[in-house]
Amino acid sequence: MEGEIMNKWTKYINERFNLSNESGSFVVALAGNPNTGKSTVFNALTGMKQHTGNWPGKTVVQSQGSFILNGQLCTLVDLPGTYSLLSTSLDELVARDFLCFANPDATIVVTDATCLERNLNLVLQVMEITKNVVVCVNLMDEAKRKNINIDLDKLSSELGVPVVGTVARNRKGLNNLMATVYKVATAAIEPNPRLTLYDDIIEKNIKEIEPSLDRLLKGRLNSRWVALRLIEGDTTFLEGIKDYLSYFDADAEVKMTCVQ
């Protein structure tokens, strides 16, 4: 981003999400199901450089911290543990809005190696919002004790995003995780997520809506994902997207409704 645009962007995400991010530094989101060791990863990466508060206007605890990644300041935002991003709970709403409107430079999705299949549902949903995803398969030691073997390379190939195995409580694999995050954040690695395909009727509706969304969103948000929310009839998301677009373009006339 150019300087003025960068400063406005930083001001927006700091105000909207109560961040203390500096212009030009990385923002990395940490997502995952509850009980996957996500907090262990957060604590291991940020150490004492972290603080907690509430998400603006919400009674949901927000944790954020910072660390230096290859000489560059990085703000790590620990999203509430959720099983999905369908905004059926306040935690899901907070996590979804941050991934969508804060547009982090990279998103780590922490999964549990002992029950990976269940955790992949959230991975697939995050990949629908952003392509800059790194999957952290944590608790690899417990999976090994249960004779569960995970082919990380094959999983990465199937998902289209980098996958890193870790044992966060022993800091095993964390250096590789952050090296991968840095490459994704700097576009040295460009993930190509394999997106979920829906039935023919939904896919047809997406194709009809997407061109109009592309013109309105101007690449700021993922038009396919926004189309899915409109088809789903997510009215809470509509207000958020109108506020978002108005912030960056006060003259923009946003006329958007859910698909009937």
Side-chain angles (χ1 to χ4, degrees):
M1 293 184 191
E2 298 296 329
E4 184 177 347
I5 298 175
M6 174 72 80
N7 291 337
K8 188 171 185 178
W9 172 254
T10 302
K11 183 172 183 287
Y12 168 77
I13 63 172
N14 284 353
E15 289 177 351
R16 173 77 189 270
F17 299 106
N18 196 26
L19 299 186
S20 52
N21 185 45
E22 295 181 7
S23 181
S25 62
F26 288 139
V27 175
V28 176
L30 192 63
N33 290 180
N35 304 316
T36 57
K38 185 166 67 69
S39 295
T40 306
V41 174
F42 178 77
N43 291 331
L45 294 178
T46 60
M48 298 297 290
K49 295 180 179 178
Q50 57 180 256
H51 64 270
T52 59
N54 276 0
W55 291 89
K58 307 287 192 304
T59 56
V60 178
V61 175
Q62 181 199 61
S63 298
Q64 59 176 294
S66 63
F67 58 94
I68 302 299
L69 185 59
N70 287 355
Q72 192 160 352
L73 182 65
C74 177
T75 299
L76 184 65
V77 181
D78 188 13
L79 302 179
T82 62
Y83 293 101
S84 82
L85 298 173
L86 298 180
S87 69
T88 56
S89 71
L90 199 52
D91 286 350
E92 292 177 358
L93 183 68
V94 165
R96 181 204 68 180
D97 281 359
F98 187 82
L99 292 173
C100 177
F101 298 121
N103 191 24
D105 297 287
T107 297
I108 304 169
V109 186
V110 182
T111 61
D112 181 346
T114 66
C115 52
L116 188 57
E117 184 176 357
R118 184 180 67 185
N119 288 206
L120 289 179
N121 179 47
L122 181 65
V123 174
L124 295 174
Q125 290 185 26
V126 172
M127 293 195 315
E128 287 189 319
I129 300 178
T130 173
K131 70 173 187 177
N132 287 348
V133 173
V134 177
V135 176
C136 169
V137 182
N138 193 33
L139 303 172
M140 290 290 285
D141 54 341
E142 291 191 17
K144 186 177 180 180
R145 278 195 289 273
K146 295 181 179 180
N147 294 318
I148 299 173
N149 296 310
I150 299 173
D151 187 333
L152 298 177
D153 290 336
K154 187 173 183 179
L155 180 61
S156 175
S157 177
E158 291 291 330
L159 294 174
V161 301
V163 175
V164 178
T166 64
V167 183
R169 60 172 166 262
N170 296 333
R171 300 190 62 84
K172 186 176 180 181
L174 292 183
N175 287 339
N176 186 25
L177 175 65
M178 297 321 298
T180 305
V181 167
Y182 182 79
K183 290 177 181 176
V184 169
T186 56
I189 293 177
E190 296 190 24
N192 184 24
R194 182 172 293 186
L195 300 179
T196 302
L197 290 177
Y198 298 91
D199 65 35
D200 291 345
I201 295 176
I202 294 177
E203 291 293 336
K204 179 174 179 289
N205 284 332
I206 292 172
K207 288 181 180 177
E208 289 177 351
I209 298 170
E210 265 195 300
S212 297
L213 288 174
D214 285 337
R215 289 192 293 273
L216 179 64
L217 301 175
K218 301 175 182 176
R220 294 183 180 122
L221 300 176
N222 184 318
S223 58
R224 176 182 169 85
W225 186 76
V226 173
L228 282 167
R229 299 289 71 76
L230 296 180
I231 293 170
E232 187 182 65
D234 188 343
T235 55
T236 62
F237 179 68
L238 271 181
E239 295 307 313
I241 200 169
K242 288 175 182 176
D243 289 344
Y244 174 85
L245 293 175
S246 298
Y247 186 92
F248 291 98
D249 186 357
D251 296 327
E253 185 179 10
V254 181
K255 294 181 179 179
M256 188 182 297
T257 60
C258 293
V259 176
Q260 300 298 315

